[in-house]
């Protein structure tokens, strides 16, 4: 009974595995095996998209990471498969590619009007920072309102990264995927788009996210006087070795 929580807590990001399963393998299958001499358009699409879809569902179920963005990612892959298998007009792929990040960006903006803005959940949370310690010092110095304003600005920046992704996804889909869905050419173009989207969209978005975190951290530094080591969550700080551990 008690095994589930340690298993859940042991989950760590695996970017290279995610990259391999969600981007490289599906792209290779779609681009190289869609011809009738191999898997054919339909089976290449099903098998290619089964990798990111299965991986996303496995992560959600195994680690109980039922967050909004993860669920949307699974839905996105499912919609892509639906568009291909039902042979819908390729324009729907471009609309879908733009809609998913746009929905996330809109959710970020809406969340700023609630008690639980998404920027707190993703960037300013107890798993990364010692939030209680920071809040206590902000109250001491009377800088709570100033920091809340900075958090709001960070939320707007955060929403902006998804707006960027939405626009770029639409442009990329319209530019690359031009063949009728349900054909080998459509699958090949879908694979190309998946590969190209990583350096053209994912990496710039990641850089923007790092810049937002740096902005948030700089605000904490100026308003509390703490260094980064002093406000990191105990969960992410390296634990000192004891004499027993060395032996």
């Amino acid at each position: 009974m008690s095994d589930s929580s340690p298993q859940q807590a042991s989950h760590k990001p695996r970017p290279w595995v995610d990259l391999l399963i969600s981007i490289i393998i599906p792209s290779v299958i779609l681009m190289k095996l869609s011809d009738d001499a191999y898997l054919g358009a339909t089976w290449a699409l099903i098998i290619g998209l089964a990798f990111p879809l299965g991986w996303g569902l496995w992560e959600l179920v195994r680690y109980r990471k039922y967050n909004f963005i993860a669920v949307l990612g699974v839905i996105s892959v499912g919609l892509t498969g639906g568009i291909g298998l039902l042979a819908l007009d390729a324009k729907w792929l471009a609309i879908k590619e733009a809609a998913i990040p746009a929905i996330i960006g809109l959710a970020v903006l809406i969340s700023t009007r609630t008690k639980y803005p998404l920027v707190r959940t993703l960037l300013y949370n107890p798993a990364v920072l010692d939030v209680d310690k920071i809040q206590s010092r902000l109250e001491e110095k009377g800088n709570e309102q100033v920091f809340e304003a900075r958090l709001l600005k960070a939320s707007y920046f955060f929403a902006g990264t998804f707006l960027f992704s939405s626009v770029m996804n639409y442009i990329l889909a319209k530019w690359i995927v031009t063949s009728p869905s349900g054909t080998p050419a459509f699958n090949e173009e879908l694979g190309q788009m998946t590969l190209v989207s990583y350096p053209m969209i994912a990496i710039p978005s990641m850089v923007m996210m790092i810049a937002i975190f740096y902005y948030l951290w700089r605000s904490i530094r100026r308003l509390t006087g703490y260094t980064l080591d002093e406000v990191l969550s105990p969960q992410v700080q390296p634990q000192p070795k004891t004499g027993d551990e060395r032996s």
Side-chain angles (χ1 to χ4, degrees), residues 161-172:
T161 65
F162 291 106
L163 175 61
F164 166 80
S165 292
S166 178
V167 173
M168 288 299 296
N169 278 348
Y170 184 82
I171 293 172
L172 210 57

Side-chain angles (χ1 to χ4, degrees), residues 192-203:
Q192 291 172 357
M193 186 190 74
T194 303
L195 277 180
V196 171
S197 68
Y198 192 76
M200 286 189 65
I201 298 172
I203 292 177

